[in-house]
Amino acid sequence: MNKDDLYGAKAIADSMQTQWIGQNIRFYEKVDSTNLRAKLEAEKGAESGTLIVAECQTAGRGRRGRVWNSPHGANLYFTLILKPKFAPDKASMLTLVMALAVVRGMEQAMEAEEVVAEPVSDASEKSAFPKIKWPNDIVWNDRKVCGILTEMSVQQGVQNRISHVLIGVGINVYQQEFPPELAKKATSLETECGRRISRSKLLADIMQAFEKYYDIFREAESLAGLKKLYNQKLVNCSREVRVLDPKGEFMGIATGINDVGELCVTLADGSTIEVYAGEVSVRGICGYV
Ligand code: BTN
Protein backbone atom coordinates (compact mmCIF):
# COMPACT_ATOMS: atom_id res chain seq x y z
CA MET A 1 0.00 0.00 0.00
CA ASN A 2 1.15 3.52 -0.71
CA LYS A 3 2.45 5.49 2.22
CA ASP A 4 0.57 8.56 1.07
CA ASP A 5 -2.77 7.29 -0.12
CA LEU A 6 -3.72 10.74 -1.43
CA TYR A 7 -1.87 10.17 -4.68
CA GLY A 8 -3.44 10.07 -8.10
CA ALA A 9 -4.75 12.45 -10.77
CA LYS A 10 -7.29 14.08 -8.44
CA ALA A 11 -4.94 14.55 -5.48
CA ILE A 12 -2.30 16.04 -7.77
CA ALA A 13 -4.82 18.33 -9.49
CA ASP A 14 -6.15 19.47 -6.09
CA SER A 15 -2.63 20.42 -4.97
CA MET A 16 -1.63 22.18 -8.19
CA GLN A 17 -1.29 25.98 -7.96
CA THR A 18 -0.03 26.67 -11.45
CA GLN A 19 -1.45 28.89 -14.19
CA TRP A 20 -1.02 26.56 -17.16
CA ILE A 21 1.28 23.62 -16.36
CA GLY A 22 -0.47 20.50 -15.14
CA GLN A 23 -3.95 21.64 -16.17
CA ASN A 24 -4.00 18.35 -17.97
CA ILE A 25 -2.75 15.39 -15.89
CA ARG A 26 -2.67 11.82 -17.20
CA PHE A 27 -2.06 9.41 -14.36
CA TYR A 28 -1.18 5.74 -14.97
CA GLU A 29 -0.83 2.93 -12.43
CA LYS A 30 1.76 1.29 -14.65
CA VAL A 31 3.53 2.39 -17.84
CA ASP A 32 6.69 1.32 -19.63
CA SER A 33 8.16 4.82 -19.29
CA THR A 34 6.44 8.17 -18.75
CA ASN A 35 8.78 9.66 -21.39
CA LEU A 36 7.67 7.07 -23.96
CA ARG A 37 4.02 7.59 -23.05
CA ALA A 38 4.49 11.37 -23.20
CA LYS A 39 6.01 11.08 -26.69
CA LEU A 40 2.92 9.23 -27.93
CA GLU A 41 0.58 11.74 -26.29
CA ALA A 42 2.57 14.74 -27.59
CA GLU A 43 2.41 13.32 -31.12
CA LYS A 44 -1.36 12.83 -30.73
CA GLY A 45 -1.74 16.53 -29.88
CA ALA A 46 -1.43 16.78 -26.08
CA GLU A 47 -1.04 20.43 -25.22
CA SER A 48 2.03 22.10 -23.80
CA GLY A 49 2.03 21.75 -20.01
CA THR A 50 0.49 18.26 -20.00
CA LEU A 51 1.85 16.03 -17.24
CA ILE A 52 2.22 12.28 -17.57
CA VAL A 53 2.54 10.66 -14.15
CA ALA A 54 2.93 6.99 -13.23
CA GLU A 55 2.84 4.97 -10.03
CA CYS A 56 5.42 2.59 -11.48
CA GLN A 57 7.41 2.06 -14.68
CA THR A 58 8.34 -1.26 -16.23
CA ALA A 59 11.00 0.25 -18.50
CA GLY A 60 12.05 3.48 -16.76
CA ARG A 61 14.87 5.10 -18.72
CA GLY A 62 17.87 7.03 -17.48
CA ARG A 63 20.50 9.06 -19.31
CA ARG A 64 23.12 7.38 -21.45
CA GLY A 65 20.86 4.36 -22.03
CA ARG A 66 20.71 3.38 -18.36
CA VAL A 67 17.67 1.83 -16.64
CA TRP A 68 15.78 3.90 -14.05
CA ASN A 69 14.73 1.73 -11.13
CA SER A 70 10.96 2.44 -10.77
CA PRO A 71 9.21 0.37 -8.08
CA HIS A 72 5.51 0.80 -7.26
CA GLY A 73 4.19 3.03 -4.49
CA ALA A 74 7.49 4.59 -3.46
CA ASN A 75 8.53 7.41 -5.73
CA LEU A 76 7.61 10.09 -8.23
CA TYR A 77 7.91 9.40 -11.96
CA PHE A 78 6.60 12.07 -14.30
CA THR A 79 7.16 13.74 -17.66
CA LEU A 80 6.26 17.30 -18.57
CA ILE A 81 5.37 17.93 -22.21
CA LEU A 82 6.40 21.33 -23.57
CA LYS A 83 5.92 22.73 -27.07
CA PRO A 84 8.13 25.82 -27.01
CA LYS A 85 8.67 28.29 -29.84
CA PHE A 86 12.40 28.86 -29.24
CA ALA A 87 15.16 27.26 -31.30
CA PRO A 88 16.11 23.58 -30.68
CA ASP A 89 19.61 24.48 -29.45
CA LYS A 90 18.10 26.11 -26.36
CA ALA A 91 16.22 23.00 -25.25
CA SER A 92 19.04 21.34 -23.31
CA MET A 93 18.97 24.27 -20.85
CA LEU A 94 15.46 23.20 -19.79
CA THR A 95 17.04 20.33 -17.89
CA LEU A 96 18.82 22.84 -15.66
CA VAL A 97 15.61 24.86 -15.24
CA MET A 98 13.88 21.67 -14.10
CA ALA A 99 16.75 20.80 -11.72
CA LEU A 100 16.33 24.18 -10.07
CA ALA A 101 12.55 23.70 -9.83
CA VAL A 102 12.96 20.23 -8.32
CA VAL A 103 15.23 21.52 -5.55
CA ARG A 104 12.91 24.44 -4.85
CA GLY A 105 9.88 22.12 -4.87
CA MET A 106 11.62 19.78 -2.45
CA GLU A 107 12.40 22.65 -0.08
CA GLN A 108 8.80 23.79 -0.25
CA ALA A 109 7.33 20.33 0.21
CA MET A 110 9.53 19.96 3.28
CA GLU A 111 8.18 23.34 4.39
CA ALA A 112 11.57 24.96 4.38
CA GLU A 113 12.38 28.54 3.64
CA GLU A 114 14.02 29.12 0.29
CA VAL A 115 17.70 28.31 0.71
CA VAL A 116 19.66 30.89 -1.20
CA ALA A 117 23.04 30.74 0.45
CA GLU A 118 23.81 27.69 2.51
CA PRO A 119 27.48 28.13 3.37
CA VAL A 120 29.81 26.17 1.11
CA SER A 121 30.56 23.05 3.05
CA ASP A 122 33.23 20.47 3.17
CA ALA A 123 32.27 17.37 1.15
CA SER A 124 32.14 15.36 4.39
CA GLU A 125 29.68 17.69 6.15
CA LYS A 126 25.98 16.71 6.22
CA SER A 127 23.71 19.05 4.30
CA ALA A 128 20.28 20.06 5.53
CA PHE A 129 18.98 20.34 1.96
CA PRO A 130 19.22 18.60 -1.39
CA LYS A 131 21.46 20.22 -3.99
CA ILE A 132 22.08 20.10 -7.72
CA LYS A 133 24.95 18.07 -9.11
CA TRP A 134 25.64 19.65 -12.48
CA PRO A 135 23.95 19.47 -14.83
CA ASN A 136 20.80 17.76 -13.69
CA ASP A 137 21.09 15.28 -10.84
CA ILE A 138 19.75 16.15 -7.43
CA VAL A 139 21.86 14.79 -4.60
CA TRP A 140 21.57 14.79 -0.86
CA ASN A 141 24.56 13.98 1.30
CA ASP A 142 26.48 12.74 -1.71
CA ARG A 143 23.76 10.34 -2.85
CA LYS A 144 21.42 10.73 -5.79
CA VAL A 145 17.79 11.44 -4.98
CA CYS A 146 16.56 12.51 -8.43
CA GLY A 147 17.46 12.20 -12.11
CA ILE A 148 16.17 14.13 -15.12
CA LEU A 149 15.98 12.94 -18.72
CA THR A 150 15.15 15.56 -21.35
CA GLU A 151 14.29 14.46 -24.90
CA MET A 152 13.36 16.57 -27.88
CA SER A 153 11.68 16.06 -31.27
CA VAL A 154 12.02 18.58 -34.07
CA GLN A 155 9.33 19.21 -36.65
CA GLN A 156 9.57 17.01 -39.72
CA GLY A 157 10.72 18.99 -42.73
CA VAL A 158 10.78 22.29 -40.82
CA GLN A 159 14.25 23.41 -39.92
CA ASN A 160 14.89 24.85 -36.52
CA ARG A 161 11.42 24.24 -35.04
CA ILE A 162 10.80 22.15 -31.94
CA SER A 163 7.90 19.74 -32.13
CA HIS A 164 8.01 18.89 -28.41
CA VAL A 165 10.36 18.64 -25.45
CA LEU A 166 9.80 15.94 -22.83
CA ILE A 167 11.30 16.53 -19.39
CA GLY A 168 11.18 13.27 -17.45
CA VAL A 169 11.83 13.35 -13.71
CA GLY A 170 12.33 10.46 -11.30
CA ILE A 171 12.50 11.24 -7.56
CA ASN A 172 13.18 8.71 -4.84
CA VAL A 173 10.64 9.75 -2.22
CA TYR A 174 10.08 6.81 0.17
CA GLN A 175 12.32 4.09 -1.24
CA GLN A 176 14.48 2.57 1.51
CA GLU A 177 16.13 -0.30 -0.30
CA PHE A 178 17.91 -0.10 -3.63
CA PRO A 179 19.34 -2.74 -5.95
CA PRO A 180 22.97 -3.61 -5.01
CA GLU A 181 24.49 -1.53 -7.82
CA LEU A 182 22.71 1.61 -6.48
CA ALA A 183 22.90 0.90 -2.76
CA LYS A 184 25.90 3.17 -2.14
CA LYS A 185 24.90 5.87 -4.62
CA ALA A 186 21.15 6.41 -4.12
CA THR A 187 18.98 7.76 -1.35
CA SER A 188 15.42 9.02 -0.87
CA LEU A 189 13.87 12.16 0.56
CA GLU A 190 12.34 10.27 3.46
CA THR A 191 15.67 8.66 4.32
CA GLU A 192 17.43 12.01 4.44
CA CYS A 193 14.83 14.24 6.07
CA GLY A 194 13.22 11.60 8.29
CA ARG A 195 9.73 12.78 7.42
CA ARG A 196 6.96 11.62 5.14
CA ILE A 197 6.41 13.96 2.21
CA SER A 198 3.23 14.04 0.14
CA ARG A 199 4.06 13.13 -3.45
CA SER A 200 1.10 15.17 -4.75
CA LYS A 201 2.28 18.28 -2.92
CA LEU A 202 5.86 17.68 -3.98
CA LEU A 203 4.86 17.44 -7.64
CA ALA A 204 2.64 20.53 -7.37
CA ASP A 205 5.42 22.52 -5.66
CA ILE A 206 7.91 21.52 -8.35
CA MET A 207 5.52 22.57 -11.11
CA GLN A 208 4.83 25.90 -9.44
CA ALA A 209 8.56 26.59 -9.23
CA PHE A 210 9.10 25.39 -12.81
CA GLU A 211 6.41 27.72 -14.15
CA LYS A 212 8.11 30.68 -12.47
CA TYR A 213 11.64 29.76 -13.61
CA TYR A 214 10.44 28.85 -17.12
CA ASP A 215 9.04 32.39 -17.56
CA ILE A 216 12.43 33.84 -16.58
CA PHE A 217 14.21 31.43 -18.94
CA ARG A 218 11.82 32.14 -21.85
CA GLU A 219 12.20 35.88 -21.50
CA ALA A 220 16.00 35.70 -22.01
CA GLU A 221 16.15 32.37 -23.87
CA SER A 222 19.11 31.71 -21.59
CA LEU A 223 19.90 30.97 -17.96
CA ALA A 224 21.14 34.53 -17.33
CA GLY A 225 18.33 35.29 -14.86
CA LEU A 226 18.62 31.92 -13.10
CA LYS A 227 22.33 31.20 -12.90
CA LYS A 228 22.88 32.98 -9.58
CA LEU A 229 20.19 30.86 -7.91
CA TYR A 230 21.37 27.71 -9.71
CA ASN A 231 24.95 28.28 -8.56
CA GLN A 232 23.78 28.79 -4.96
CA LYS A 233 22.21 25.35 -5.08
CA LEU A 234 25.09 23.70 -6.91
CA VAL A 235 26.90 21.08 -4.87
CA ASN A 236 29.94 21.26 -7.16
CA CYS A 237 30.43 24.99 -6.66
CA SER A 238 33.89 25.85 -5.31
CA ARG A 239 34.79 22.16 -5.16
CA GLU A 240 37.42 20.20 -6.99
CA VAL A 241 35.94 18.22 -9.87
CA ARG A 242 37.21 15.59 -12.25
CA VAL A 243 35.86 16.19 -15.77
CA LEU A 244 35.43 12.98 -17.74
CA ASP A 245 35.82 14.40 -21.22
CA PRO A 246 36.01 11.86 -24.07
CA LYS A 247 39.05 13.83 -25.30
CA GLY A 248 40.82 13.40 -21.96
CA GLU A 249 40.15 13.62 -18.25
CA PHE A 250 41.13 16.73 -16.30
CA MET A 251 40.71 18.26 -12.84
CA GLY A 252 39.87 21.75 -11.68
CA ILE A 253 37.72 23.84 -9.38
CA ALA A 254 34.10 24.33 -10.48
CA THR A 255 32.99 27.93 -10.15
CA GLY A 256 29.40 27.67 -11.41
CA ILE A 257 27.43 27.73 -14.66
CA ASN A 258 27.47 30.41 -17.35
CA ASP A 259 24.42 31.86 -19.19
CA VAL A 260 24.04 28.77 -21.37
CA GLY A 261 24.44 26.21 -18.61
CA GLU A 262 28.05 25.18 -19.22
CA LEU A 263 30.08 24.44 -16.10
CA CYS A 264 33.02 26.80 -15.63
CA VAL A 265 36.08 24.98 -14.33
CA THR A 266 39.27 26.77 -13.31
CA LEU A 267 42.43 24.79 -14.01
CA ALA A 268 45.66 24.78 -12.00
CA ASP A 269 47.27 27.29 -14.41
CA GLY A 270 44.45 29.78 -13.70
CA SER A 271 42.70 29.37 -17.07
CA THR A 272 38.98 28.57 -17.23
CA ILE A 273 37.31 25.90 -19.34
CA GLU A 274 33.57 25.89 -20.06
CA VAL A 275 32.28 22.35 -20.04
CA TYR A 276 29.25 21.38 -22.14
CA ALA A 277 27.01 18.78 -20.48
CA GLY A 278 26.24 16.76 -23.60
CA GLU A 279 29.83 15.59 -23.92
CA VAL A 280 31.15 15.02 -20.45
CA SER A 281 30.32 14.01 -16.92
CA VAL A 282 31.73 15.44 -13.75
CA ARG A 283 32.77 13.67 -10.57
CA GLY A 284 34.03 14.93 -7.24
CA ILE A 285 37.56 13.92 -6.51
CA CYS A 286 36.41 11.45 -3.84
CA GLY A 287 33.53 9.80 -5.69
CA TYR A 288 30.15 10.51 -7.23
CA VAL A 289 29.60 14.10 -6.02
C1 BTN B 1 19.08 9.88 -15.06
O1 BTN B 1 19.54 10.40 -14.05
O2 BTN B 1 19.70 9.00 -15.66
C2 BTN B 1 17.73 10.32 -15.57
C3 BTN B 1 16.61 9.53 -14.95
C4 BTN B 1 15.24 9.97 -15.40
C5 BTN B 1 14.16 9.07 -14.86
C6 BTN B 1 12.78 9.58 -15.15
S1 BTN B 1 11.53 8.68 -14.30
C7 BTN B 1 10.31 9.50 -15.24
C8 BTN B 1 10.82 9.60 -16.65
N1 BTN B 1 10.51 8.41 -17.39
C9 BTN B 1 11.59 7.72 -17.71
O3 BTN B 1 11.60 6.64 -18.33
N2 BTN B 1 12.68 8.36 -17.28
C10 BTN B 1 12.36 9.58 -16.61
Side-chain angles (χ1 to χ4, degrees):
M1 189 170 116
N2 299 341
K3 286 192 179 181
D4 65 340
D5 44 10
L6 285 178
Y7 188 55
K10 181 170 181 331
I12 297 167
D14 288 350
S15 304
M16 206 59 80
Q17 291 186 311
T18 44
Q19 302 293 314
W20 61 276
I21 288 179
Q23 299 307 304
N24 196 348
I25 297 165
R26 305 197 183 157
F27 187 91
Y28 298 88
E29 273 300 311
K30 194 196 257 189
V31 288
D32 45 6
S33 148
T34 56
N35 271 35
L36 290 175
R37 170 61 54 180
K39 183 172 167 57
L40 293 176
E41 309 247 352
E43 284 166 355
K44 278 197 282 173
E47 64 200 37
S48 193
T50 299
L51 267 179
I52 309 296
V53 189
E55 185 54 282
C56 79
Q57 301 183 114
T58 54
R61 296 155 68 222
R63 291 170 72 213
R64 300 175 202 273
R66 294 191 194 106
V67 168
W68 187 256
N69 175 246
S70 310
H72 185 275
N75 299 324
L76 258 182
Y77 317 109
F78 66 89
T79 301
L80 173 63
I81 301 174
L82 292 175
K83 297 187 167 176
K85 300 230 171 350
F86 48 72
D89 64 348
K90 313 273 180 206
S92 63
M93 287 187 265
L94 290 173
T95 316
L96 283 78
V97 179
M98 182 60 86
L100 197 51
V102 168
V103 168
R104 181 65 198 126
M106 287 175 174
E107 289 167 3
Q108 246 168 341
M110 291 185 283
E111 286 160 1
E113 293 299 311
E114 181 154 19
V115 184
V116 290
E118 199 183 18
V120 174
S121 61
D122 188 82
S124 60
E125 236 172 78
K126 285 235 164 199
S127 168
F129 299 97
K131 292 200 166 175
I132 301 167
K133 174 184 173 281
W134 180 84
N136 55 357
D137 285 351
I138 311 301
V139 296
W140 202 346
N141 293 321
D142 291 357
R143 288 173 182 233
K144 182 158 164 172
V145 76
C146 163
I148 302 171
L149 175 66
T150 299
E151 297 177 299
M152 177 180 66
S153 286
V154 288
Q155 285 182 18
Q156 294 268 315
V158 186
Q159 271 200 336
N160 242 18
R161 288 289 290 272
I162 294 175
S163 168
H164 57 255
V165 178
L166 311 171
I167 313 178
V169 181
I171 303 177
N172 303 329
V173 183
Y174 304 131
Q175 193 168 352
Q176 299 291 332
E177 282 171 18
F178 292 89
E181 67 279 12
L182 299 177
K184 290 204 171 108
K185 285 192 241 164
T187 189
S188 65
L189 291 180
E190 188 173 79
T191 307
E192 297 303 321
C193 77
R195 274 186 291 137
R196 185 208 273 197
I197 290 163
S198 156
R199 286 181 291 171
S200 304
K201 176 164 166 43
L202 175 60
L203 179 50
D205 287 341
I206 292 169
M207 288 303 112
Q208 192 179 13
F210 184 86
E211 207 173 71
K212 178 173 144 194
Y213 299 146
Y214 186 61
D215 274 350
I216 298 171
F217 169 76
R218 235 180 346 188
E219 182 80 25
E221 295 196 358
S222 82
L223 297 164
L226 296 169
K227 75 176 176 195
K228 184 165 174 236
L229 191 59
Y230 185 96
N231 288 337
Q232 281 163 340
K233 295 179 188 298
L234 184 62
V235 74
N236 315 96
C237 222
S238 309
R239 286 197 186 166
E240 190 156 27
V241 290
R242 192 156 50 95
V243 180
L244 310 176
D245 190 313
K247 291 184 227 115
E249 213 175 290
F250 62 91
M251 312 248 280
I253 305 286
T255 56
I257 59 161
N258 61 16
D259 287 359
V260 292
E262 294 163 340
L263 186 69
C264 305
V265 179
T266 304
L267 307 182
D269 64 4
S271 62
T272 296
I273 288 194
E274 286 160 341
V275 181
Y276 174 63
E279 294 163 5
V280 302
S281 43
V282 158
R283 296 272 181 282
I285 49 164
C286 306
Y288 170 65
V289 172

